[in-house]
Amino acid sequence: MKIVTYLENGNEQLGFIIENQVFPSHMLSDQLPNSSLELIKLGQEGLSLAENAIQNFIKIEDFQNEGLSFSEITLCAPIPNPPSFRDAYAFRQHVETSRLNRGLEMIPEFDEFPVFYFSNHQAIHGPGPVYCMPKHFDKLDFELEVAIVILKEGRNIKVAEADQYIAGLMILNDLSARHLQMQEMKLNLGPAKGKDFASMFGPYLLTLDELESYKTKPLEGHSGNAYDLQMRCWVNDKLCSEGTLASMNWTFAEIIERVSYGVTLYPGDIIGSGTVGTGCLLEINGTGKRKDPNYQEFWIQPKDKISMEVTGLGKLENYIYKEEESE
């Protein structure tokens, strides 16, 4: 299933994409909630209820005439109000190259356990315009990622069972204000203000059953489901980044095991993969300057368009605008 949240009469409404149209949950069945978070809280039973409702609905003649086109609606993040949002650091290429660009050796602890940080679950955006403060534009960066949504409550979850706790996958663009981030992390705490202002998800949440054909083996020494999904990012229609989710060193199952150690995960919690190799301007600019002293670095500017596409997960597009500070 492709699960969306959109605005209906100014309120967030759960919907489903069927044949490239959006149908509200209340049209499919009066047994379905109107909130994506409430659907996820129903666990696998809720997903099965929704799937059955969709299958019954598409048997109706001319059901397509009841759908909404994407031009008619405003999409929100698939889960606009998650209980929490963590972001991991799962791609070795990104970590190793970023450190190399700063003249640092690869940190050995990367191979010992998956690390993550908490971001702001109240700064969640979907496709469309995103407003950033003037200081954010001092080396404003995108991050090309994929995120999972937790399906059911669990604590001390083992890798072997962890994939059962995933409702689905969606694209994540974790905006980063690099100047603010580097300032604050000199104090060995964070990231905080460099990361907490905007994270974009969408355009939809794809349930795991839709990803079976993309399954691949995890990298050597790792376990859990892995998916060969091509990942790309454009800035103003210029291709900047290409990678694959299959290059994740730490699988989502391994990340879940680490995250849930001594801690309860709840339905709707979001966990990001971290940045794919070449998936941000910090890495791209650093590599360019390391190889060519005359390289001209670039960062996200006001009115720029960022487009991210991941196999099976659709295309997430955002326009970035400056929010002026009040005097």
Side-chain angles (χ1 to χ4, degrees):
M1 285 183 297
K2 295 176 180 177
I3 300 170
V4 298
T5 297
Y6 69 99
L7 293 181
E8 184 178 83
N9 299 321
N11 298 313
E12 293 171 354
Q13 170 64 47
L14 168 64
F16 301 90
I17 300 176
I18 307 172
E19 295 188 8
N20 208 36
Q21 291 181 303
V22 175
F23 295 82
S25 57
H26 54 73
M27 181 181 291
L28 303 185
S29 170
D30 59 8
Q31 300 299 310
L32 291 172
N34 288 327
S35 158
S36 59
L37 182 57
E38 292 306 312
L39 177 69
I40 297 299
K41 286 180 178 179
L42 295 175
Q44 187 58 52
E45 181 179 347
L47 296 184
S48 297
L49 179 66
E51 181 59 38
N52 289 336
I54 290 171
Q55 293 306 315
N56 290 330
F57 183 74
I58 61 178
K59 294 176 183 177
I60 300 173
E61 187 176 355
D62 295 329
F63 76 90
Q64 296 95 332
N65 294 332
E66 304 296 326
L68 299 167
S69 68
F70 289 99
S71 62
E72 295 179 87
I73 62 174
T74 298
L75 283 176
C76 307
I79 311 290
N81 51 346
S84 72
F85 169 34
R86 300 167 174 88
D87 204 5
Y89 209 32
F91 293 89
R92 184 186 181 92
Q93 179 185 346
H94 169 67
V95 179
E96 191 167 25
T97 304
S98 296
R99 292 182 65 83
L100 176 63
N101 291 342
R102 303 198 303 274
L104 302 173
E105 293 182 358
M106 181 58 182
I107 187 167
E109 285 80 5
F110 176 87
D111 297 311
E112 295 177 8
F113 55 88
V115 69
F116 67 93
Y117 70 94
F118 279 92
S119 196
N120 186 358
H121 68 294
Q122 302 288 356
I124 304 297
H125 300 267
V130 174
Y131 289 83
C132 301
M133 296 296 285
K135 289 182 180 179
H136 293 145
F137 284 95
D138 192 346
K139 299 184 177 181
L140 182 61
D141 203 354
F142 67 82
E143 291 192 88
L144 175 57
E145 307 188 30
V146 166
I148 59 170
V149 175
I150 295 299
L151 179 62
K152 57 184 179 179
E153 184 176 322
R155 178 182 173 93
N156 296 327
I157 302 165
K158 301 303 181 185
V159 170
E161 291 81 41
D163 284 303
Q164 301 171 23
Y165 286 78
I166 300 174
L169 275 63
M170 55 187 175
I171 301 172
L172 161 58
N173 179 4
D174 189 38
L175 283 189
S176 300
R178 297 302 188 185
H179 182 70
L180 288 176
Q181 179 188 359
M182 297 309 170
Q183 275 186 321
E184 63 193 3
M185 292 190 71
K186 289 179 181 178
L187 297 170
N188 294 321
L189 196 62
K193 293 311 300 176
K195 294 275 192 176
D196 75 344
F197 57 97
S199 299
M200 296 91 87
F201 299 87
Y204 51 79
L205 173 68
L206 187 71
T207 52
L208 286 190
D209 58 296
E210 301 271 4
L211 291 165
E212 284 295 316
S213 62
Y214 299 109
K215 272 188 178 179
T216 187
K217 291 183 179 179
L219 298 184
E220 185 177 355
H222 295 272
S223 58
N225 289 347
Y227 301 94
D228 187 13
L229 308 181
Q230 297 304 304
M231 305 169 66
R232 297 180 179 88
C233 180
W234 295 259
V235 176
N236 299 327
D237 299 321
K238 177 184 177 182
L239 182 62
C240 295
S241 301
E242 289 187 271
T244 172
L245 194 66
S247 64
M248 279 180 77
N249 293 79
W250 294 104
T251 65
F252 281 120
E254 292 168 329
I255 295 168
I256 288 173
E257 181 180 70
R258 175 73 176 183
V259 166
S260 69
Y261 179 73
V263 170
T264 302
L265 294 184
Y266 294 95
D269 284 350
I270 293 175
I271 304 175
S273 64
T275 309
V276 69
T278 78
C280 69
L281 295 176
L282 180 69
E283 183 182 340
I284 294 167
N285 286 332
T287 300
K289 291 171 70 175
R290 176 168 52 84
K291 294 182 176 180
D292 178 6
N294 297 316
Y295 174 87
Q296 296 297 309
E297 64 180 36
F298 69 104
W299 302 95
I300 301 300
Q301 303 298 319
K303 300 183 181 179
D304 278 354
K305 179 176 73 170
I306 307 173
S307 306
M308 293 185 171
E309 188 173 59
V310 177
T311 304
L313 306 187
K315 194 168 189 176
L316 173 65
E317 291 193 340
N318 297 96
Y319 285 88
I320 312 301
Y321 296 103
K322 182 182 289 188
E323 179 180 348
E324 295 299 337
E325 297 183 70
S326 58
E327 295 297 332

